[in-house]
Amino acid sequence: MDRVSSFDEPLKKLLGGATAKVMAEHLDLHTVGDLLHHYPRRYEERGKLTALADLPLDEHVTVVAQVADARILMFNNGRGKRLEVTLTDGSGRLQLVFFGHGVHKPHKELLPGRQAMFAGKVSVFNRKMQLAHPTYQLLDASDADEATEAVDAFAGRLLPIYPACKQLDSWRIAKAVDAVLPSAQDAVDPLPVSLREGRGFTPLPEALLKVHRPQTKADIEDAKARLKWDEAFVLQVALARRRYADTQLPAVARRPVEGGLLDAFDAKLPFTLTEGQEKVSKEIFDDLATEHPMHRLLQGEVGSGKTMVALRAMLTVVDAGGQAAMLAPTEVLAQQHHRSITEMMGELAEGGMLGGSDQGTKVVLLTGSMGAAARRQALLDLVTGEAGIVIGTHALIEDKVQFHDLGLVVVDEQHRFGVEQRDALRSKGKQPPHLLVMTATPIPRTVAMTVFGDLETSVLDQLPAGRSPIASHVVPAKDKPHFLARAWERVREEVENGHQAYVVCPRIGDEAEEDGKGAKKTKAKKAAPDEDPEKRPPLAVLEVADELRKGALAGLSVEVLHGRMHPDEKDDVMRRFAAGDVDVLVATTVIEVGVNVPNATAMVIMDADRFGVSQLHQLRGRVGRGSAPGLCLLVSEAHEASPARARLSAVAATLDGFELSRIDLEQRREGDVLGQAQSGVRSSLRMLTVIDDEEVIAAAREEAVAIVAADPELEHLPELRTVLAALLDKEREEYLDKG
């Protein structure tokens, strides 16, 4: 069998159809290579028991523990039977529960003093941690032959605990790994020999053996160091080749013109730019002046003035005879950008109109819901070049939209965009346009190097003068209902002081909700008062607004805003809220990015535990935008000891977005770090934790850049080419391409 093909061998040949099917469906493992790269999450030492005290809620775990006691209990007047088993390990206790016909076998086997491995999902019942119907494997079998076998398998050995699923326990995965382990000898080593020897790395086949079947802890460290490096290096080579290819593309240089639109705009600015804005603008102008496309990521906290920097870049391109397009993720945001940009530009945005400036240009809006006549006019202004700036949603990407000379694409909040969309817009220029990606989600340096590795990065970290501090508090609605009552009183107080408030809910709540697959679901029923908050549907805008109007906020003007309203209706509500005619806006996350109402000082986020850390940080950035201090209340029914509550406390404790993004990464480390749009990258990172391995990533990037500069096609490194091809099949290459 040749070296590559044994890794490509389908698992069903070696493991049988049923196991292979579960691995494919639930763990995304299809080939021998996939399984060999499915590394243990941790290792148990025989006799050293898992700390039961540290079990994570809602996760599938494998524990090695001893039975302390077991008892059968009757319920339902003797008609039902349940077996309760208590495990202990010196650090804590854990309850197992088996019901119905499932009690007979464990009742016979799980006797006090017995030691076993147990696997299941951790839940809480009556304030106690438990595993319901766990699978288990005894470690001290009574039959002599079995006992010898069990001791051989587990005694004195580091026991690998694999990321598992309900259908397949860790020890079954371990048996499957045993079956494919001989193929590790066929691993293609991507590291150039000089690099491997220079850094003293273990050869790859040996690293794979050591990671799955270590004899000592030093074996694990050796293997991890090698496998982490491989992941970082292969990914950084892919990104370095991407950047190299971009430098080979042609683009029209767009240089600032003296006495043009930009100078006229700067002259009428009522304030001076911050030092950060000046520095970042210079980086962008330098890129625009080169003859290959700019690819730059502009990140900055909410309110750090990214839009101003982007607008100055767009004006420079218009001065140089090109057009600029700004792509926003929602209609509300596109309208808002259009409104704020035309306000900032004044008569400069009315080129060719009566009362407009001679130096001006047209700034047009293009969204899917515009009327036919307005749309026709906008399209005409774009194709003739009359409009220098267009702001829109993905409606900009449709085939019908033609540009006169597209020079710059600005993408706002790019994580909201499908990757194909960004590419489609880029293909509308005569030559590839320059690209500026903006995000208000702070991204730690390592993630920027990994996820956005094909973009140069600029950071705006100063807030403009006049931004106020925001106080954040967690409101535990279930444990302390009077805290929630006090939250509504605080909202009332803010309104009485002449301010306004947002209330954010995770769901809209009209009679039909999308279930994510396009199918409609009927209206979700309300949870019973004693029902687990995790089980009930998330709180909904329409229901919450209704209750507030009748109850806690009666007498105030309460309006709703959500994504399924007609655009004119949305615009009307936003205008009235901005004008101060609406006291309280109950909304979904449509307000998350870009909505700017300086008079709004309070925000109450319902079911806050249903949102991610960076999303909560984004939402909170909507208040405290004026001279009065902001208040953000995170309402949650999550259990005090749950990870969800820990996440909320972290958000309440700091306003530093970079610190929060680090916390967010630590909490989502099981593979979701790089987000959906990066699925190709994500599935290739198994050992590397982007947050902890900054040094590895930085060193790998340096080596990768040097290798690609010397040999862009990797002609002298066929093994590296082979491994890259496997990682970056066509689809993944495109994910990287579009960032």
Side-chain angles (χ1 to χ4, degrees), residues 467-490:
R467 290 301 299 261
S468 300
I470 304 170
S472 308
H473 304 283
V474 178
V475 178
K478 201 176 175 76
D479 312 343
K480 301 182 178 168
H482 60 288
F483 275 39
L484 183 57
R486 176 71 190 117
W488 299 126
E489 280 172 26
R490 282 292 290 111

Side-chain angles (χ1 to χ4, degrees), residues 288-334:
L288 290 174
T290 59
E291 297 192 343
H292 59 83
M294 163 170 84
H295 286 100
R296 191 167 280 281
L297 171 70
L298 171 57
Q299 50 167 326
E301 283 283 14
V302 171
S304 56
K306 294 182 299 298
T307 311
M308 170 63 70
V309 168
L311 176 55
R312 295 181 76 242
M314 298 199 303
L315 296 175
T316 301
V317 169
V318 175
D319 275 343
Q323 289 169 295
M326 183 186 254
L327 211 51
T330 63
E331 292 209 351
V332 168
L333 197 51

Side-chain angles (χ1 to χ4, degrees), residues 5-289:
S5 62
S6 76
F7 261 50
D8 292 338
E9 190 81 44
L11 284 171
K12 62 172 175 274
K13 276 194 176 175
L14 287 160
L15 304 179
T19 305
K21 186 169 188 256
V22 172
M23 286 195 165
E25 285 176 6
H26 297 280
L27 296 169
D28 196 22
L29 305 174
H30 306 273
T31 63
V32 168
D34 289 344
L35 183 52
L36 284 172
H37 288 302
H38 187 70
Y39 307 129
R41 177 179 287 175
R42 56 191 170 82
Y43 302 84
E44 284 296 351
E45 289 178 72
R46 173 79 172 111
K48 170 181 169 270
L49 303 179
T50 319
L52 293 181
D54 300 336
L55 287 181
L57 254 182
D58 285 341
E59 275 195 32
H60 279 282
V61 297
T62 302
V63 297
V64 180
Q66 197 162 24
V67 177
D69 67 58
R71 58 191 180 283
I72 285 207
L73 303 171
M74 299 296 194
F75 58 93
N76 254 359
N77 295 330
R79 289 198 298 277
K81 212 186 253 188
R82 85 169 174 268
L83 169 66
E84 285 185 2
V85 179
T86 306
L87 303 182
T88 178
D89 70 346
S91 80
R93 296 166 88 77
L94 175 66
Q95 193 161 313
L96 312 180
V97 59
F98 300 87
F99 292 100
H101 299 303
V103 306
H104 306 305
K105 188 167 177 266
H107 188 220
K108 277 196 253 167
E109 294 181 336
L110 298 177
L111 303 172
R114 275 314 226 348
Q115 203 182 24
M117 281 201 289
F118 301 88
K121 190 176 182 183
V122 183
S123 57
V124 169
F125 181 71
N126 277 345
R127 305 201 164 221
K128 282 187 195 151
M129 295 273 212
Q130 73 164 24
L131 300 182
H133 282 285
T135 51
Y136 61 89
Q137 181 172 340
L138 297 172
L139 295 185
D140 50 354
S142 48
D143 176 278
D145 293 344
E146 265 185 58
T148 316
E149 210 173 288
V151 169
D152 284 351
F154 301 111
R157 168 125 30 109
L158 287 157
L159 208 64
I161 305 291
Y162 287 92
C165 61
K166 189 169 146 197
Q167 295 77 3
L168 203 61
D169 306 321
S170 170
W171 51 86
R172 293 208 183 106
I173 295 171
K175 279 185 177 157
V177 169
D178 284 335
V180 302
L181 214 45
S183 300
Q185 292 310 320
D186 301 331
V188 175
D189 197 325
L191 296 193
V193 178
S194 57
L195 194 159
R196 188 173 75 229
E197 289 173 355
R199 290 185 175 265
F201 285 130
T202 305
L204 185 55
E206 195 184 315
L208 288 169
L209 284 172
K210 281 179 170 178
V211 80
H212 289 292
R213 298 295 173 262
Q215 300 300 311
T216 62
K217 288 184 176 172
D219 282 356
I220 299 170
E221 291 317 307
D222 262 12
K224 280 187 168 177
R226 169 66 216 255
L227 296 167
K228 274 183 182 182
W229 180 271
D230 278 20
E231 286 179 7
F233 177 71
V234 172
L235 183 57
Q236 291 302 335
V237 168
L239 292 164
R241 291 186 72 194
R242 202 48 304 128
R243 288 193 302 275
Y244 178 83
D246 283 339
T247 63
Q248 306 306 300
L249 290 173
V252 179
R254 312 280 180 175
R255 296 185 182 85
V257 171
E258 225 168 292
L261 195 52
L262 178 64
D263 286 353
F265 175 74
D266 283 350
K268 62 194 276 306
L269 274 183
F271 50 82
T272 53
L273 298 175
T274 65
E275 234 173 278
Q277 286 174 319
E278 292 278 14
K279 178 175 122 317
V280 169
S281 290
K282 184 182 181 322
E283 290 169 351
I284 293 170
F285 292 160
D286 288 350
D287 282 359
L288 290 174

Side-chain angles (χ1 to χ4, degrees), residues 323 325 364 366 375-387 390 395-406 424-425 427-430:
Q323 289 169 295
V364 299
L366 191 62
R375 187 178 169 78
R376 248 196 324 274
Q377 185 59 52
L379 291 172
L380 188 65
D381 288 342
L382 284 180
V383 75
T384 58
E386 187 87 4
V390 58
L396 279 177
I397 295 161
E398 290 172 13
D399 293 341
K400 291 195 279 291
V401 181
Q402 299 292 318
F403 290 86
H404 177 64
D405 179 10
L406 181 61
L425 192 54
S427 67
K428 289 185 178 287
K430 291 174 183 158

Side-chain angles (χ1 to χ4, degrees), residues 702-720:
E702 224 166 279
E703 294 276 10
V705 168
I707 281 168
V708 170
D711 180 5
E713 294 305 313
L714 307 178
E715 282 166 20
H716 305 298
L717 298 167
E719 290 84 3
L720 178 53

